Amino acid sequence: MLVMGVVNVTPDSFSDGGQHADTAGAVAHGRRLRAEGADILDIGGESTRPGATRPVLDEELDRVVPVIEALTADGALVSVDTMRSEVARAAIEAGAGIVNDVSGGLADPRILEVVAASRASYVAMHWRAHSDRMADLASYDGPGGVVAAVRSELAERVTAIRAAGIPDDRVVLDPGLGFAKRPDHNWQLLQGLTQIASLGFPLLVGASRKSFLGALLSNPEGISRPVDERESAGLALTLLLAQRGVWGVRVHDVRASRDALRVLDRMNALHDRRETESP
């Protein structure tokens, strides 16, 4: 399973906003994550936390392009986390090999044309609205609940992606944990990942430090566990996802995730050897 390390070049992201908001800090953070074992560095210049205000286009470009140029010059595989076609184009020109679009092409349909005209891969996430409205759309009352709805809506995005000319082998899907989802919806989606995977595409899952984990770990007074104290729960989830064959996880703490996966790989290797040696 691939580990995608998060590099938020923003002042307001829910987990680490402001910690790496300038170019030098973001590049240093990306290099640190790569040294810790990140397979992909995901560079984002727009916070998508609930209620976040979108930056203007030039601001997003100024945040991400210099960071992408520096990290790709190091030889890193870089993903740009954007919903804008202009940012996707500039990021690809700067060396990004993946466009990670949390809107799946809904926020700016031209982004699909940009990716199709390149050799970049495309991650399409389940999405219903921008951060200031998504909580109002967290309703999944139809047959099959949230899993059926997410699968159906991602299938619609696949149709649009194919129509734009992006080959299937360059497409990854993301169920969109936390986006227009209440806590229980996220757990239901995780339980139903096989149904999402039946669309025939690799899955990227981004659960790291999200609010549904904080809700699970609430104290007796019902106060959610703080963002920076949710990592152990995220690691447990990472191991479960690896065992289910998920393509990749998007995480903040790369070292902890990679360490946990090394333990799992070691145990699996011992099990396989024992099975081979059994009479």
Side-chain angles (χ1 to χ4, degrees):
M1 183 170 70
L2 299 180
V3 175
M4 176 185 280
V6 178
V7 182
N8 288 320
V9 196
T10 60
D12 56 347
S13 291
F14 82 96
S15 174
D16 56 359
Q19 293 183 22
H20 321 291
D22 63 276
T23 298
V27 171
H29 184 56
R31 287 171 174 162
R32 182 165 54 253
L33 294 183
R34 188 174 180 222
E36 291 175 351
D39 300 293
I40 305 165
L41 299 175
D42 193 40
I43 317 301
E46 175 182 351
S47 172
T48 51
R49 64 174 176 79
T53 301
R54 302 197 73 191
V56 297
L57 172 61
D58 286 345
E59 187 175 17
E60 187 179 352
L61 286 167
D62 289 344
R63 290 174 178 178
V64 302
V65 171
V67 178
I68 293 169
E69 289 175 338
L71 293 173
T72 55
D74 290 345
L77 174 56
V78 168
S79 167
V80 61
D81 180 358
T82 187
M83 294 180 271
R84 288 181 164 130
S85 59
E86 300 94 337
V87 177
R89 181 180 289 107
I92 291 169
E93 291 173 355
I98 302 171
V99 173
N100 182 14
D101 178 5
V102 300
S103 81
L106 289 171
D108 180 356
R110 293 170 299 175
I111 201 169
L112 301 180
E113 300 168 11
V114 169
V115 176
S118 74
R119 293 197 288 183
S121 296
Y122 183 67
V123 179
M125 196 191 79
H126 177 263
W127 184 87
R128 286 186 164 181
H130 287 291
S131 298
D132 58 346
R133 293 186 53 242
M134 66 180 179
D136 299 329
L137 300 175
S139 177
Y140 302 92
D141 298 327
V146 65
V147 176
V150 168
R151 188 188 187 283
S152 175
E153 291 169 32
L154 281 175
E156 292 174 2
R157 301 320 306 149
V158 168
T159 298
I161 289 165
R162 286 171 169 163
I166 302 174
D168 282 8
D169 62 2
R170 284 165 42 198
V171 177
V172 175
L173 300 181
D174 182 335
L177 300 181
F179 288 77
K181 316 285 190 311
R182 297 192 180 95
D184 283 351
H185 293 147
N186 298 295
W187 294 113
Q188 292 164 26
L189 270 176
L190 288 166
Q191 186 63 30
L193 282 180
T194 301
Q195 295 180 53
I196 309 299
S198 70
L199 290 169
F201 296 89
L203 297 183
L204 173 69
V205 177
S208 180
R209 301 181 182 175
K210 288 191 173 177
S211 60
F212 76 99
L213 294 176
L216 175 72
L217 303 172
S218 294
N219 66 19
E221 289 72 42
I223 299 174
S224 180
R225 179 77 64 83
V227 170
D228 59 356
E229 297 179 15
R230 301 171 185 171
E231 199 62 49
S232 56
L235 284 174
L237 194 51
T238 290
L239 290 175
L240 288 171
L241 292 170
Q243 291 171 321
R244 295 185 182 185
V246 167
W247 174 82
V249 287
R250 184 177 182 273
V251 303
H252 295 85
D253 190 335
V254 167
R255 173 172 288 178
S257 298
R258 182 57 69 196
D259 287 352
L261 290 171
R262 287 178 69 179
V263 170
L264 180 62
D265 288 344
R266 178 64 172 166
M267 293 300 295
N268 286 339
L270 290 171
H271 177 269
D272 292 343
R273 187 171 70 183
R274 186 169 61 251
E275 290 292 311
T276 301
E277 292 174 350
S278 296

